[in-house]
Amino acid sequence: MPSKFVTPTFSNETTQGSLPLVEGTIGPAAVDIQTLFTNHGILAFDPGFRSTASCKSAITFVDGDNGVLLYRGYPIEELAEHASFTEVVYLLMHGELPVNDQLSGFKKDLLYYSLLHDQVMSFYRGFRRDAHPMAVMVGVVGALSAFYHDSMDTQNPEDRQRAAIRLIAKMPMLAAASYTYSIGRPQRYPNSQLDYASNFLQMMFGLPYREYVVDPVLARAFDVILILHADHEQNASTSTVRLAASSGANPFACVAAGIASLWGPAHGGANEAVLKMLHEIGSVENIPKALARAKDKSDSFRLMGFGHRIYKNFDPRSRVIQVQAKKVLEHLGIDDPLLEIAMRLEEIALQDEYFVERKLYPNVDFYSGILLRAMGFPTNMFTAVFALARTTGWVSHWLELQGENHGIDRPRQLYVGSPRRSYPSKS
Ligand code: ACO
């Protein structure tokens, strides 16, 4: 990490100079390159943004070398143990935990905006009934921008708050409907007596003719899943939302872009991929074969749920989720052979030179699939659950960005194509 007393210098045949360092509250300093092109005519080259701080943000801090994740300064382990998801939503959006009657007021707002316009339900009928829930969510969340566009002024802080709450409040019914539609079950409405997590569970699993009885162990486990996935600073989907939002685009459309980015197997789609992989491995005896494949560079197989762009140590969320997975399986009396395979796989991989050298540890997705499966979620809903939780992060970053008035984002490139040439003469 550069010391704050060192100013990075650079030179080539035509230009030379030095650049100032800027520091955040905690974490590495950053070289401020904002004037690099205007003052020196050169660009910074950082494909994949591995060394680029794309913005200032006061929401979430990740220290990947030490396995630390803080939401507004609070460690994720403490929030997962003591807070409710609704408190975490408030914290991420507003910067502080709710005090006095702020939480009850916030819950009322979330409930007030939780219903979907009945016309939105007709969008679902346009999809094939076997469509992937993420495909449906990209479409339906984007379509919400058609409902709330003319009435919203992104320059008005009150309108922004309302749009933010609408997105978070409507997402449980939107996600649940992408599942109930696929199985042909009528969609239930939010229940004013239930909290955010329980409400989603009843809309997802409740039957139209019977009262849904909330299992407190499952409800708490789901609340924890939501807390753990709520935000993770400038990941691919959040950066997508910020980039889209920098043009002043409608927030519902921006979040639809975030959902599209989250869907990929290298990001939120990994939890689904982990279960598929564990199924394929099939038994503890086959683990060495799977590990050999993961290490073989001529084979595209990767150990899903292992490795992380930022964490080069344990992902702190994976420990919390492993505890919840065991708790729920025990509570439900489920003896899942996939859990045994996962735990053995983790144990063996963490002693394997290949994984140790490359600092590949289990990430949050390694156990979340097992937990969601035990709770009754079909595999293709795993990433939709992630999207439900991450909406809070996307919305919080959207609010932060709108408050800054920082103009449209426009990355540059290192052009490696043909130099200028003339169109060939046809004669
Ligand atoms: N299995 C086998 N080898 C791996 C794995 C893995 N899961 N992950 C990384 N490696 C290897 C790479 O082949 C590379 O080896 P090399 O140095 O010999 O070429 C080395 O480790 C570094 O890999 P990178 O791809 O540079 O690591 P990066 O930080 O870019 O990738 C990523 C992170 C995409 C998450 C990767 O680890 C991966 O594909 N993991 C599996 C998918 C997954 O679990 N994604 C969920 C991420 S968490 C989330 O989105 C919530």
Side-chain angles (χ1 to χ4, degrees):
M1 198 209 327
S3 143
K4 65 179 165 182
F5 301 110
V6 177
T7 308
T9 56
F10 58 89
S11 66
N12 69 5
E13 294 98 46
T14 52
T15 188
Q16 64 172 34
S18 63
L19 291 162
L21 287 180
V22 284
E23 289 188 273
T25 333
I26 39 175
V31 182
D32 184 347
I33 59 167
Q34 289 181 86
T35 57
L36 192 57
F37 185 68
T38 36
N39 289 356
H40 301 280
I42 54 175
L43 298 171
F45 179 57
D46 182 23
F49 313 118
R50 287 171 188 240
S51 292
T52 295
S54 63
C55 61
K56 281 185 182 169
S57 179
I59 301 172
T60 292
F61 174 75
V62 180
D63 175 353
D65 290 335
N66 294 303
V68 173
L69 168 59
L70 311 176
Y71 289 169
R72 300 284 189 182
Y74 295 103
I76 193 68
E77 297 88 343
E78 289 182 26
L79 292 170
E81 192 172 344
H82 304 295
S84 69
F85 178 63
T86 314
E87 269 179 283
V88 169
V89 175
Y90 188 96
L91 172 70
L92 287 170
M93 276 178 67
H94 298 281
E96 296 296 336
L97 286 165
V99 289
N100 304 325
D101 55 359
Q102 283 173 333
L103 186 60
S104 56
F106 189 61
K107 281 181 182 167
K108 268 189 211 146
D109 286 347
L110 283 176
L111 193 67
Y112 180 79
Y113 288 111
S114 61
L115 273 180
L116 293 182
H117 192 294
D118 213 39
Q119 264 186 310
V120 174
M121 297 311 290
S122 61
F123 278 100
Y124 288 86
R125 288 188 271 282
F127 290 96
R128 280 172 62 119
R129 68 163 189 262
D130 58 354
H132 195 288
M134 287 297 278
V136 176
M137 284 184 71
V138 171
V140 180
V141 174
L144 279 185
S145 51
F147 287 78
Y148 309 106
H149 187 65
D150 296 336
S151 60
M152 197 195 62
D153 171 9
T154 52
Q155 298 303 311
N156 178 336
E158 274 177 30
D159 280 11
R160 293 204 293 258
Q161 282 294 322
R162 197 175 312 111
I165 294 203
R166 269 196 177 123
L167 267 158
I168 296 167
K170 292 184 192 309
M171 207 53 87
M173 192 167 166
L174 277 164
S178 69
Y179 168 66
T180 53
Y181 171 74
S182 72
I183 58 166
R185 186 190 293 162
Q187 181 56 49
R188 288 168 65 118
Y189 293 105
N191 175 339
S192 64
Q193 303 304 309
L194 298 179
D195 65 18
Y196 194 90
S198 306
N199 234 327
F200 176 65
L201 294 178
Q202 71 87 11
M203 285 192 280
M204 176 80 200
F205 298 117
L207 295 167
Y209 50 83
R210 201 160 64 204
E211 192 194 344
Y212 180 82
V213 182
V214 176
D215 179 327
V217 175
L218 299 195
R220 181 59 193 152
F222 194 72
D223 212 48
V224 171
I225 289 176
L226 295 178
I227 292 172
L228 297 180
H229 290 83
D231 193 39
H232 212 238
E233 52 120 306
Q234 310 308 321
N235 53 81
S237 58
T238 304
S239 298
T240 302
V241 171
R242 286 188 82 121
L243 192 63
S246 73
S247 72
N250 182 290
F252 295 91
C254 297
V255 166
I259 295 174
S261 167
L262 184 75
W263 191 4
H267 193 4
N271 51 16
E272 193 175 332
V274 169
L275 262 223
K276 282 190 187 137
M277 176 191 77
L278 293 175
H279 270 298
E280 267 167 40
I281 295 176
S283 76
V284 169
E285 295 77 61
N286 294 333
I287 291 175
K289 230 188 309 173
L291 287 181
R293 280 192 66 195
K295 295 190 278 185
D296 180 356
K297 296 292 171 200
S298 63
D299 190 327
S300 61
F301 177 81
R302 279 193 160 195
L303 211 53
M304 299 315 287
F306 257 75
H308 196 278
R309 177 56 68 83
I310 304 286
Y311 291 117
K312 302 302 172 196
N313 195 323
F314 253 93
D315 176 342
R317 301 167 300 176
S318 72
R319 295 179 193 270
V320 178
I321 214 146
Q322 191 201 43
V323 172
Q324 286 297 332
K326 284 187 187 159
K327 211 183 260 182
V328 165
L329 260 66
E330 204 177 292
H331 171 71
L332 296 175
I334 297 175
D335 184 15
D336 188 345
L338 295 192
L339 180 65
E340 198 202 338
I341 299 173
M343 286 172 53
R344 254 328 260 148
L345 184 61
E346 175 185 342
E347 200 181 311
I348 300 173
L350 291 181
Q351 288 165 6
D352 189 300
E353 208 178 306
Y354 175 96
F355 292 89
V356 174
E357 256 176 23
R358 289 167 180 76
K359 298 185 177 164
L360 300 170
Y361 291 88
N363 58 50
V364 67
D365 291 322
F366 194 63
Y367 287 103
S368 65
I370 292 171
L371 174 51
L372 289 170
R373 178 170 119 109
M375 293 177 75
F377 285 91
T379 317
N380 67 1
M381 273 301 286
F382 292 179
T383 317
V385 166
F386 195 159
L388 167 65
R390 187 54 59 84
T391 300
T392 294
W394 295 329
V395 157
S396 302
H397 285 270
W398 177 76
L399 284 172
E400 186 176 65
L401 179 91
Q402 298 298 326
E404 283 167 4
N405 201 9
H406 90 167
I408 190 166
D409 288 349
R410 176 60 166 87
R412 301 296 296 265
Q413 63 170 10
L414 192 63
Y415 177 67
V416 293
S418 166
R420 186 187 178 106
R421 50 184 162 167
S422 295
Y423 187 77
S425 151
K426 284 187 175 151
S427 57

